[in-house]
Amino acid sequence: MLQLYFNPPKSSWSLRVWILLKTLNIPFEPKIVRYQSNLNAQRQQFQQFSPTAKIPVLVDNDHTIWDSLAITEYVAESYPQVWAEDKTARAWSRSACAEMHSGFHVLREICDFRPLDRITLADIPDELVHELARLDDLWQEGLNRFASNFLASEQFTAVDAFFVPIALRIETYSLHRYFSEESLVYQRRLFALPELKIWLQS
């Protein structure tokens, strides 16, 4: 069975993989690890299962797969429902996941992933406004282009999993005013996922 090393509820990168597996009912053995205040001790612990000393990490027998995007693609080889059935929707989804994976640096810096907190930002710089506008455009594009409840399909897929941390950041930092109503309906749909409630209680 697949083994997933992750840290709930603090790791947004872990959340992407965990909620994808849970929502799609893909069996795995959870391996919960916790961040430590002593970074050297944490690194030594994580290096026992992770070549980068980071999480998430997926172990499949003798194979170790690290990085959330690589894990997603690995799982998709055995479970095609990870991505949308339509070829165009799959290509768009991969592009959106890659953009989320490598971009939105200002959002990550200013809006640290703190899903259990509620924080009021004293200042919203233009760079952050720009990134929030891009997220809104991206969500609207997927919802309109594929005319589904989720971004690329009627069913939850990997591209939705990659944006679940954004749905939480909107709540944490009260960023609703920067999103269209259409995007907020989608955000509320992600926020209401029963699997997400389990994650937040972990």
Side-chain angles (χ1 to χ4, degrees), residues 46-67:
F46 284 16
Q47 281 178 337
Q48 296 177 24
F49 56 83
S50 170
T52 61
K54 297 179 180 180
I55 50 176
V57 167
L58 188 75
V59 176
D60 185 10
N61 294 317
D62 295 331
H63 304 297
T64 298
I65 306 95
W66 63 97
D67 186 278

Side-chain angles (χ1 to χ4, degrees), residues 11-186:
S11 170
S12 62
W13 303 99
S14 296
L15 171 57
R16 293 181 173 95
V17 176
W18 181 90
I19 201 165
L20 178 67
L21 299 179
K22 289 290 286 186
T23 304
L24 298 186
N25 294 314
I26 296 172
F28 70 97
E29 180 184 353
K31 296 285 189 177
I32 295 177
V33 294
R34 299 297 186 187
Y35 292 140
Q36 301 181 34
S37 56
N38 186 320
L39 294 181
N40 286 329
Q42 175 183 301
R43 189 177 299 109
Q44 290 177 6
Q45 178 193 357
F46 284 16
Q47 281 178 337
Q48 296 177 24
F49 56 83
S50 170
T52 61
K54 297 179 180 180
I55 50 176
V57 167
L58 188 75
V59 176
D60 185 10
N61 294 317
D62 295 331
H63 304 297
T64 298
I65 306 95
W66 63 97
D67 186 278
S68 56
L69 195 55
I71 293 171
T72 298
E73 291 290 9
Y74 181 82
V75 173
E77 293 184 13
S78 300
Y79 299 91
Q81 67 268 34
V82 163
W83 297 110
E85 290 185 11
D86 178 73
K87 180 179 180 180
T88 301
R90 289 198 307 275
W92 183 90
S93 296
R94 286 187 166 99
S95 296
C97 285
E99 182 177 356
M100 182 68 254
H101 189 263
S102 63
F104 302 100
H105 302 293
V106 177
L107 176 64
R108 298 182 201 277
E109 180 179 351
I110 294 177
C111 301
D112 191 25
F113 189 66
R114 298 168 61 178
L116 301 179
D117 297 335
R118 295 295 177 265
I119 301 166
T120 300
L121 294 175
D123 180 49
I124 305 287
D126 291 342
E127 294 86 352
L128 178 55
V129 173
H130 175 75
E131 289 190 356
L132 295 174
R134 172 56 188 155
L135 282 166
D136 186 44
D137 289 344
L138 193 59
W139 284 6
Q140 288 191 70
E141 179 184 0
L143 294 168
N144 289 318
R145 186 173 181 180
F146 304 109
S148 301
N149 283 328
F150 292 99
L151 285 182
S153 171
E154 278 300 318
Q155 307 302 319
F156 183 92
T157 62
V159 69
D160 303 295
F162 268 67
F163 287 103
V164 168
I166 298 299
L168 288 169
R169 280 184 168 98
I170 291 172
E171 291 297 318
T172 298
Y173 295 93
S174 298
L175 300 173
H176 305 79
R177 64 186 182 279
Y178 296 98
F179 290 84
S180 64
E181 180 55 33
E182 185 175 25
S183 291
L184 290 177
V185 168
Y186 171 67

